[in-house]
């Protein structure tokens, strides 16, 4: 579990999905880091200004997903079951986030996901980022916000 202070420092980044774009190879980077993961170690040395802030669209596709029914990380007990997806953003980077606005049905031991219109949600489904409460910690009720992704509905795609 991340500490509240860490959340405070990364709040802006998490809230706005602000990453970086590599001016060397043009690819999006999320979360921001010192070295572009696409064009490797030497980029930073050759061009220290190679990475500029970049606002991601917040749209992407489900790359994989899994639903947690028990033994969640500390602090997440009251949220089970929940579904975590690896989302590939339109701009390329992948990130892990919870899916929201979905329902689950277990069939033959396999979790099937559906959007609010009852359409299946699976690998390849288009999703968009929304900002939601991730967890509320402690007696002072520190609330951690973060990104979750919800399926785009038919009328939006
Ligand atoms: Zn690069």
């Amino acid at each position: 579990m991340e500490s509240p202070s860490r959340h405070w420092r990364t709040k802006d980044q998490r809230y706005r999905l602000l990453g970086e774009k590599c001016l060397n190879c043009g690819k999006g980077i999320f979360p921001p880091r010192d070295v572009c993961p696409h064009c490797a170690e030497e980029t930073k040395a050759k061009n220290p200004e190679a990475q500029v802030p970049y606002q991601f669209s917040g749209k992407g596709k489900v790359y994989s997903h899994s639903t947690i029914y028990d033994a969640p990380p500390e602090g997440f007990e009251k949220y089970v079951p929940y579904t975590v997806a690896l989302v590939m953003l339109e701009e390329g980077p992948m990130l892990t986030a919870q899916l929201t606005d979905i329902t689950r049905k277990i069939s033959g031991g396999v979790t099937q996901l559906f959007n609010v219109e009852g359409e299946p949600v699976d690998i390849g489904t288009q999703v968009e980022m929304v900002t939601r409460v991730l967890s509320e910690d402690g007696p002072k009720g520190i609330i951690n916000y973060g990104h979750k992704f919800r399926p785009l509905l038919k009328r939006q795609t």
Side-chain angles (χ1 to χ4, degrees):
M1 216 30 216
E2 295 172 44
S3 69
S5 61
R6 178 166 160 74
H7 270 285
W8 176 253
R9 285 198 300 276
T10 60
K11 194 172 132 232
D12 199 45
Q13 179 200 109
R14 296 168 71 96
Y15 189 84
R16 293 165 52 203
L17 202 61
L18 190 60
E20 292 172 322
K21 190 168 194 168
C22 175
L23 291 180
N24 190 50
C25 68
K27 288 183 175 158
I29 304 164
F30 188 90
R33 64 195 79 176
D34 289 338
V35 174
C36 172
H38 307 293
C39 53
E41 300 287 329
E42 65 268 28
T43 307
K44 191 75 175 176
K46 278 184 194 160
N47 185 357
E49 306 298 320
Q51 290 157 30
V52 295
Y54 181 71
Q55 180 63 59
F56 288 93
S57 69
K59 290 187 175 157
K61 285 181 177 178
V62 175
Y63 188 80
S64 68
H65 60 83
S66 75
T67 298
I68 286 79
Y69 290 98
D70 48 31
E74 196 185 336
F76 282 79
E77 293 87 349
K78 65 181 170 179
Y79 300 102
V80 292
Y82 61 92
T83 299
V84 176
L86 190 57
V87 173
M88 185 188 278
L89 298 174
E90 280 182 338
E91 297 89 350
M94 301 236 249
L95 58 88
T96 304
Q98 282 186 47
L99 293 183
T100 188
D101 297 7
I102 54 165
T103 56
R104 302 170 191 86
K105 202 164 83 182
I106 303 175
S107 170
V110 177
T111 301
Q112 296 176 317
L113 307 176
F114 300 92
N115 69 18
V116 293
E117 292 178 334
E119 298 288 326
V121 172
D122 210 335
I123 290 162
T125 298
Q126 287 189 290
V127 291
E128 66 178 352
M129 191 191 79
V130 289
T131 302
R132 294 286 163 87
V133 172
L134 274 191
S135 64
E136 296 168 53
D137 292 335
K140 286 186 179 163
I142 295 167
I143 300 172
N144 295 322
Y145 292 92
H147 38 254
K148 292 188 179 183
F149 284 81
R150 70 177 171 206
L152 280 180
L153 301 179
K154 250 189 192 137
R155 60 177 186 271
Q156 299 172 300
T157 55

